[in-house]
């Protein structure tokens, strides 16, 4: 390193330290990037910048990586720790050469490998961005100062002053110099290839961080109004008596302005700072898993569509915040038109939200405009986020998906999208959801309150300790591959009219929507609030001693760690005792002392709120719940009986709870669970029979709780099956109404605290599952008919339900 370079690094060390705050991705360089901290590293940067090198030095120190301002010694030769693709531009450009001698250095390095084959260096590409502003069609004043890939020192001065707190350092997977040297070709050719690949890689990194060039408003109008589908819809609308062609075109223009986002990177930066303060105030932290998946997709040039579950209005902010801090461009977000009120609507729109109406039915012009806008986003390379459930879950369970947005996505793919398109399911979880009280009121019959400024201010005023937030990125679905697998000959079956849907599209989209929901739940996150709620609600009086609660939490955590629900779900590393302490610190539970020890219960009248959090993870305990319920019900039962019972009930549970396993996988998982339950002492074995633990055994209480966690589900199943058994033949509408009335009565009589116990959507989903799995017959007029298969299922379920509930259902008289 020259004396001039050393001097500059020394001079600018403290100014950069004071002005710059680097954000580094990823944080786990060893696992995600295969970087070995004990092997020599050479960093490869796009441009030769002192401030870039100093920012990287700050980041590398935090990550425990070698200092980029030092040198590395290889076989007696000294090489700089940093290499650069391009030189810094002069203040007054003279059209001179801006390439560095990097190819000569790499050539020399590869030549060194010929004489020293054991030498190996990790070449780590590092992209450094100051700010995340996308390019603009019309440059502004700020672009004259900052928008240059290799700015002069004068421009870099302004960049550091204004964007030093928005410095992003993105490291990539290490490239082995030994592997590169072993490739065919001369050292010069290999070095040239490496530099060319690095240049392409940095271009993709820039796009994944900043996104594509912003759409100017006029360009947007021309693109949408000039599309064939919109012109056709305008023509058809203009032929009606109510609209002239000019009025129809103006309506289309108004629809564009109503729908389209108006993305402003400056607002995102301000939002990042504001949200950082909010998260620190209301959350103890945000747990993120599998974010490497979205970075891999971006690196490979994929169009990314995020499809998260929808728990809260916080989802809009939390997921965008996480994506931003994982080094990805923030997506355009599909938001309900109910959120487009002043001034929140304008803020959301500038944050990337585009608005859609709840229903497009009958408005062909609006449908055409919206679909064309969505296709334009895909083709321009914008990442997009929409919620497959359509609205927020009021019960904590996943809602059966709405398929409209997915159908439009697939239609865009059929018409041709320039890049591969991948859907990324996302599980979002909270230890506290601020809207949970209003959700339960709505489930009890009150009308949904319209969003307003007062609601926003009220929510901000109530901000308090909400524990942890959880974001798990699920296994992506590569749509091009999915389409090829589902419909191999899809190209030959496309209709001549590109606006007409092929016959196979709707059933295929339905399958895709279901797969999305399965992968969301496959990525579930266990947390203390959800697990404590499950334990307390399973206890007889919703009250447990501290010792019993810790034992039960430990048993559940041990079970899931030993036999994971999936490779994508997450369990905290906390001990059961630490989890309980943290959960109690959220001040959502009553802690009392009766002289024998601490008792833990829900706060007064708050037990019903816990059902929301339990339902977030109930699908993880469905199979353990069946096993333990069968063992406690029969006192003595065989393993093959439990497997037969699971085979009968699993298709119904899978449909209701979106469990990702196939029938065979579920049976195999059940068998492993039984083995683990035996190992933990939650189940005893005598010969070939399985028994519950003795009442004086420490494992008895956790085992008993697991046997009760699915009780309300079994009771709901028995309600529906008993009504059909009494009527023998009944219409679907009558069955749903009667089931809801009886379930609501049971809830009142026996103090059941789950509003979804009589929720019409949950009951409807179960009835659909009964029909699809042929547990019910159909008559010629479409009514449902009781059968021998129905009776066999009812007998199995009846044995699992508490006797007092069975007796009440046997005696209930239907109206």
């Amino acid at each position: 390193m020259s004396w001039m370079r050393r001097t500059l690094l020394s001079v600018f060390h403290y100014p950069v330290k004071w002005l710059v705050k680097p954000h580094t991705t990823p944080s786990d360089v060893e696992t995600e990037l295969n970087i070995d901290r004990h092997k020599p590293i050479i960093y490869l940067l796009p441009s030769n910048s002192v401030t870039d090198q100093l920012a990287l030095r700050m980041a590398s120190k935090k990550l425990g990586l070698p200092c980029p301002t030092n040198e590395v010694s290889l076989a007696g030769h000294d090489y700089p720790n940093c290499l650069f693709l391009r030189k810094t531009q002069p203040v007054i450009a003279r059209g001179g050469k801006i390439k560095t001698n990097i190819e000569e250095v790499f050539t020399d390095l590869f030549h060194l490998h010929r004489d020293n084959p054991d030498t190996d260096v990790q070449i780590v590409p590092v992209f450094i961005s100051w700010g995340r502003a996308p390019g603009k069609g019309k440059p502004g004043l700020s672009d004259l100062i900052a928008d240059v890939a290799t700015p002069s020192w004068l421009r870099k001065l302004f960049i550091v002053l204004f964007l030093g707190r928005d410095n992003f350092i993105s490291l990539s997977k290490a490239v082995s110099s030994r592997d590169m040297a072993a490739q065919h070709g001369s050292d010069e050719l290999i070095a040239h290839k490496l530099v060319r690949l690095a240049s392409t890689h940095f271009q993709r990194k820039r796009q994944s961080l900043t996104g594509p060039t912003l759409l100017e408003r006029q360009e947007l109008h021309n693109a949408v109004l000039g599309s064939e589908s919109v012109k056709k819809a305008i023509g058809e609308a203009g032929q009606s008596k109510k609209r002239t062609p000019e009025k129809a075109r103006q309506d289309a223009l108004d629809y564009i302005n109503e729908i389209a986002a108006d993305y402003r990177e400056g607002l995102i930066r301000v939002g990042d700072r504001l949200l950082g303060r909010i998260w620190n105030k209301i959350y103890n932290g945000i747990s993120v898993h599998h974010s490497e998946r979205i970075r891999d997709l971006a690196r490979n040039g994929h169009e990314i569509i995020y499809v998260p579950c929808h728990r809260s209005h916080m989802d809009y902010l939390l997921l965008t915040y996480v994506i931003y801090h994982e080094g990805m461009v923030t997506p355009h977000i599909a938001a309900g038109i109910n959120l487009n009120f002043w001034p929140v609507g304008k803020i959301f729109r500038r944050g990337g939200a585009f608005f859609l109406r709840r229903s497009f039915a009958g408005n062909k012009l609006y449908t055409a405009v919206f679909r064309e806008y969505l296709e334009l986003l895909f083709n321009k390379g914008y990442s997009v986020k929409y919620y497959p459930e359509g609205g927020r879950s009021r019960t904590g369970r996943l809602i059966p998906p709405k398929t409209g947005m997915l159908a439009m996505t697939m239609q865009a793919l059929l018409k041709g999208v320039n890049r591969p398109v991948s859907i990324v399911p996302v599980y979002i979880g909270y230890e506290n959801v601020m809207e949970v009280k209003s959700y339960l009121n709505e489930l009890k019959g009150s009308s949904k309150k319209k969003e307003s400024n007062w609601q926003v201010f009220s929510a901000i005023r109530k901000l308090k300790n909400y524990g942890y937030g959880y974001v798990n990125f699920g296994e992506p679905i590569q749509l091009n591959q999915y389409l090829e697998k589902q419909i191999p000959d899809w190209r030959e079956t496309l209709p001549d009219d590109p606006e007409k849907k092929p016959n196979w599209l709707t059933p295929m989209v339905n399958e895709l929507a279901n797969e999305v929901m399965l992968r969301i739940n496959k990525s579930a996150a266990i947390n203390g609030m959800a697990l404590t709620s499950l334990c307390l609600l399973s206890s007889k009086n919703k009250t447990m001693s501290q010792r019993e609660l810790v034992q039960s939490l430990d048993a559940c955590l041990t079970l899931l760690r030993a036999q994971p629900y999936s490779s994508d779900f997450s369990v905290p590393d906390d001990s059961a005792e630490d989890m309980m302490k943290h959960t109690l610190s959220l001040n959502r539970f009553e802690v009392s002392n009766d002289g024998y020890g601490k008792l833990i219960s829900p706060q007064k009248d708050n037990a019903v709120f816990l059902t929301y959090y339990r339902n977030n993870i109930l699908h993880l305990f469905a199979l353990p719940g069946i096993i333990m319920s069968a063992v406690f019900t029969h006192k003595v039962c065989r393993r093959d009986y439990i497997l037969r019972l699971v085979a009968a009930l699993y298709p119904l549970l899978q449909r209701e709870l979106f469990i990702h396993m196939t029938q065979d996988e579920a049976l195999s998982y059940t068998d492993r669970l039984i083995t683990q339950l035996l190992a933990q002492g939650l189940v005893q074995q005598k010969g070939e029979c399985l028994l519950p633990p003795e009442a004086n055994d420490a494992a008895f209480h956790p085992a008993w709780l697991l046997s009760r966690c699915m009780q309300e589900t079994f009771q709901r199943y028995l309600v529906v099956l008993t009504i059909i058994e009494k009527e023998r033949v009944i219409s679907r509408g009558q069955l749903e109404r009667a089931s809801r009335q009886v379930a609501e009565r049971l809830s009142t009589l026996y103090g059941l605290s789950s509003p979804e116990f009589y929720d019409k959507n949950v009951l409807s989903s179960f009835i659909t599952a009964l029909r699809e799995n042929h547990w019910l017959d159909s008559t010629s007029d479409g009514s449902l008919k009781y059968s021998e298969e129905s009776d066999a299922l009812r007998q199995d379920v009846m044995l699992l339900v508490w006797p007092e509930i069975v007796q009440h259902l046997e005696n209930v008289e239907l109206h």
Side-chain angles (χ1 to χ4, degrees):
M1 184 184 299
S2 68
W3 68 269
M4 177 67 77
R5 188 74 173 188
R6 292 181 189 278
T7 303
L8 289 173
L9 290 171
S10 298
V11 168
F12 287 106
H13 169 73
Y14 285 106
V16 169
K17 185 177 180 180
W18 294 329
L19 293 170
V20 176
K21 181 182 179 182
H23 305 271
T24 310
T25 57
S27 56
D28 187 356
V29 295
E30 289 182 310
T31 303
E32 187 172 338
L33 303 182
N34 299 323
I35 293 176
D36 187 342
R37 289 185 170 89
H38 305 293
K39 283 186 177 182
I41 290 175
I42 290 179
Y43 302 100
L44 177 57
L45 278 65
S47 62
N48 187 355
S49 165
V50 171
T51 49
D52 284 2
Q53 204 171 357
L54 288 171
L56 177 58
R57 184 164 71 180
M58 294 166 65
S60 62
K61 183 178 180 180
K62 189 175 181 180
L63 293 172
L65 296 175
C67 178
T69 56
N70 293 339
E71 293 184 335
V72 58
S73 181
L74 302 170
H77 295 262
D78 290 334
Y79 292 89
N81 262 117
C82 263
L83 295 175
F84 311 94
L85 287 185
R86 294 179 297 272
K87 295 179 182 177
T88 302
Q89 287 188 354
V91 176
I92 301 175
R94 297 186 181 89
K97 183 180 179 182
I98 64 169
K99 289 186 178 180
T100 63
N101 66 338
I102 187 171
E103 290 193 20
E104 289 81 359
V105 175
F106 277 136
T107 300
D108 185 59
L109 182 62
F110 296 147
H111 183 71
L112 185 71
H113 282 80
R114 310 296 183 197
D115 301 324
N116 304 273
D118 293 334
T119 300
D120 192 15
V121 181
Q122 301 170 100
I123 302 169
V124 179
V126 183
F127 183 78
I128 300 179
S129 172
W130 302 82
R132 304 275 287 273
K136 299 179 183 178
K138 296 179 180 179
L141 180 61
S142 60
D143 300 294
L144 297 177
I145 298 172
D147 187 29
V148 174
T150 54
S152 67
W153 66 266
L154 183 58
R155 288 192 178 190
K156 201 57 173 281
L157 173 63
F158 285 104
I159 289 172
V160 174
L161 285 173
F162 291 111
L163 299 173
R165 313 304 288 179
D166 296 288
N167 173 254
F168 293 87
I169 298 177
S170 179
L171 287 79
S172 300
K173 288 186 177 181
V175 177
S176 167
S177 62
R178 184 168 58 191
D179 292 346
M180 289 295 298
Q183 292 189 9
H184 294 293
S186 65
D187 293 340
E188 291 82 1
L189 187 62
I190 296 171
H192 179 71
K193 178 182 178 182
L194 179 58
V195 170
R196 190 179 71 251
L197 290 174
S199 182
T200 302
H201 172 77
F202 287 138
Q203 287 176 4
R204 284 188 173 175
K205 274 288 183 181
R206 179 180 293 278
Q207 182 155 359
S208 69
L209 271 168
T210 64
T213 302
L214 288 180
L215 270 173
E216 295 296 330
R217 213 65 181 173
Q218 192 59 49
E219 182 187 359
L220 169 64
H221 291 165
N222 293 341
V224 174
L225 295 178
S227 67
E228 291 301 320
S229 61
V230 173
K231 285 195 290 187
K232 182 180 178 182
I234 289 173
E236 291 177 357
Q239 293 173 3
S240 68
K241 294 181 180 179
K242 295 181 180 179
R243 284 176 176 167
T244 62
E246 292 75 18
K247 178 65 168 60
R249 192 177 190 283
Q250 184 58 48
D251 287 346
L253 190 62
D254 292 342
Y255 290 154
I256 296 173
N257 293 329
E258 176 189 312
I259 294 166
D262 185 21
Y263 182 84
R264 305 291 177 91
E265 190 268 343
L267 179 68
I268 298 296
R269 277 192 283 123
V270 173
D272 172 48
R273 286 173 172 74
L274 179 62
L275 288 177
R277 292 176 181 272
I278 291 175
W279 301 146
N280 289 333
K281 179 181 178 182
I282 66 174
Y283 293 118
N284 294 332
I286 300 171
S287 173
V288 181
H289 288 86
H290 310 305
S291 56
E292 71 279 358
R293 287 171 165 165
I294 58 175
R295 282 191 286 272
D296 285 343
L297 291 174
R299 185 173 62 251
N300 294 321
H302 283 234
E303 167 67 26
I304 302 176
I305 302 171
Y306 301 94
V307 282
C309 58
H310 203 1
R311 311 279 194 214
S312 166
H313 281 317
M314 274 291 183
D315 298 346
Y316 297 105
L317 305 176
L318 179 64
L319 183 54
T320 298
Y321 179 84
V322 166
I323 291 169
Y324 185 78
H325 278 265
E326 291 299 328
M328 302 291 294
V329 63
T330 54
H332 279 50
I333 308 163
I337 196 70
N338 57 304
L339 294 177
N340 189 21
F341 59 92
W342 188 89
V344 172
K346 195 160 189 169
I347 295 172
F348 280 177
R349 198 183 291 275
R350 293 191 173 194
F354 60 97
F355 296 97
L356 69 156
R357 298 179 180 181
R358 290 299 183 190
S359 174
F360 302 178
N363 193 336
K364 293 183 179 180
L365 181 56
Y366 181 89
T367 302
V369 168
F370 186 88
R371 189 190 308 164
E372 199 62 40
Y373 175 73
L374 192 63
E375 291 176 12
L376 183 64
L377 292 181
F378 294 153
N379 282 308
K380 288 291 184 180
Y382 294 99
S383 59
V384 173
K385 177 175 73 175
Y386 53 74
Y387 297 93
E389 295 166 286
R392 292 166 293 158
S393 169
R394 267 61 178 174
T395 63
R397 298 163 174 255
L398 291 187
I399 302 172
K402 308 288 193 300
T403 58
M405 292 293 290
L406 280 172
M408 289 185 183
T409 301
M410 289 306 303
Q411 284 178 283
L413 185 69
L414 297 180
K415 289 173 70 174
V417 177
N418 300 327
R419 302 191 297 162
V421 181
S422 286
I423 283 180
V424 179
V426 186
Y427 179 93
I428 301 177
Y430 304 91
E431 289 191 302
N432 273 292
V433 173
M434 62 179 63
E435 303 102 323
V436 71
K437 289 185 179 180
S438 65
Y439 290 167
L440 297 174
N441 289 334
E442 289 174 34
L443 287 171
K444 291 176 181 177
S446 65
S447 59
K448 176 180 177 292
K449 291 183 179 179
K450 186 178 179 181
E451 284 75 7
S452 65
N453 291 316
W454 171 249
Q455 275 191 302
V456 174
F457 296 138
S458 178
I460 293 173
R461 184 173 53 83
K462 294 176 182 177
L463 292 180
K464 48 190 171 181
N465 182 10
Y466 276 73
Y468 282 88
Y470 299 85
V471 176
N472 287 357
F473 293 96
E475 182 184 357
I477 302 172
Q478 216 285 329
L479 286 187
N480 306 71
Q481 295 177 2
Y482 185 87
L483 182 58
E484 292 286 349
K485 183 179 179 180
Q486 297 293 319
I487 317 290
D489 61 342
W490 66 271
R491 291 178 181 83
E492 290 75 35
T493 58
L494 287 177
D496 294 333
D497 183 356
E499 301 306 319
K500 188 177 180 182
K501 293 194 297 185
N503 294 330
W504 46 261
L505 183 65
T506 297
M508 191 271 288
V509 167
N510 290 338
E511 287 292 325
L512 174 62
N514 188 63
E515 182 64 25
V516 166
M517 306 312 283
L518 296 180
R519 296 196 188 194
I520 289 174
N521 258 359
K522 186 180 178 183
S523 307
I526 286 284
N527 65 69
M529 185 71 179
L531 200 53
T532 301
S533 297
L534 181 129
C535 292
L536 286 177
L537 292 174
S538 299
S539 65
K540 193 163 188 178
N541 295 315
K542 301 178 181 59
T543 301
M544 296 175 67
S545 70
Q546 179 176 309
R547 180 179 61 83
E548 289 173 338
L549 180 56
V550 170
Q551 286 178 340
S552 299
L553 292 174
D554 184 62
C556 292
L557 290 171
T558 301
L559 179 65
L560 290 177
R561 286 168 180 161
Q563 293 298 331
Y565 171 77
S566 74
S567 58
D568 291 341
F569 98 120
S570 60
V571 184
D573 296 327
D574 301 348
S575 67
E577 190 166 355
D578 287 343
M579 177 178 280
M580 185 202 67
K581 287 179 181 177
H582 162 71
T583 305
L584 294 182
S585 72
L586 301 177
N587 298 319
R588 299 298 190 276
F589 297 94
E590 194 75 41
V591 181
S592 58
N593 197 316
D594 63 353
Y596 294 95
K598 289 183 179 179
L599 296 176
I600 299 166
S601 60
Q603 291 179 349
K604 186 178 180 181
D605 300 325
N606 276 10
V608 66
F609 301 145
L610 302 187
T611 63
Y612 190 92
Y613 307 107
R614 176 202 61 187
N615 289 346
N616 288 178
I617 62 167
L618 188 60
H619 61 289
L620 304 179
F621 293 92
L623 295 179
I626 294 177
I627 297 167
M628 298 309 302
S629 185
V631 169
F632 272 82
T633 295
H634 295 283
K635 308 302 181 189
V636 176
C637 66
R638 294 167 60 96
R639 186 182 289 235
D640 58 353
Y641 166 76
I642 293 176
L643 292 173
R644 185 191 69 77
L645 185 63
V646 168
L649 293 177
Y650 180 71
L652 305 174
L653 290 167
Q654 184 187 36
R655 172 64 185 258
E656 178 178 336
L657 299 176
F658 293 104
I659 305 175
H660 69 95
M661 301 171 218
T662 63
Q663 180 95 338
D664 289 342
E665 290 170 344
L667 291 172
S668 176
Y669 182 55
T670 301
D671 195 56
R672 297 196 303 274
L673 284 171
I674 293 172
T675 302
Q676 179 59 33
L677 290 166
L678 287 166
Q680 289 182 225
L682 299 174
V683 173
Q684 305 293 327
Q685 186 159 6
K686 187 174 182 180
E688 294 186 355
C689 295
L690 304 175
L691 300 81
E694 297 291 334
N696 59 354
D697 193 317
F700 178 84
H701 199 268
W704 179 69
L705 289 180
L706 279 174
S707 75
R708 294 167 61 91
C709 69
M710 294 297 293
Q711 183 61 213
E712 290 174 4
T713 300
F714 300 148
Q715 291 170 7
R716 191 184 334 103
Y717 287 5
L718 188 59
V719 166
V720 176
L721 291 168
T722 298
I723 291 172
I724 303 175
E725 187 268 340
K726 288 179 178 290
E727 295 294 313
R728 311 307 291 186
V729 177
I730 188 172
S731 72
R732 176 166 183 148
Q734 290 176 317
L735 177 59
E736 289 184 5
R737 285 191 296 273
S739 298
R740 190 174 187 191
Q741 290 168 354
V742 173
E744 196 164 356
R745 177 179 172 81
L746 280 179
S747 180
T748 302
L749 288 173
Y750 295 97
L752 304 177
S753 56
S754 301
E756 82 274 3
F757 185 71
Y758 49 85
D759 181 61
K760 61 181 179 181
N761 292 322
V762 176
L763 290 166
S764 177
S765 178
F766 174 61
I767 294 168
T768 299
L770 286 174
R771 290 192 61 179
E772 289 179 348
N773 290 280
H774 309 292
W775 291 111
L776 295 176
D777 291 336
S778 296
T779 62
S780 57
D781 65 354
S783 295
L784 303 175
K785 183 180 179 182
Y786 198 67
S787 65
E788 291 183 8
E789 290 80 8
S790 312
D791 192 64
L793 178 64
R794 181 172 177 271
Q795 295 302 321
D796 282 336
V797 174
M798 190 186 300
L799 293 173
L800 302 177
V801 173
W802 297 336
E804 62 269 32
I805 302 290
V806 174
Q807 183 185 34
H808 181 85
L809 289 175
E810 289 293 331
N811 296 327
V812 74
E813 294 184 5
L814 302 176
H815 299 297

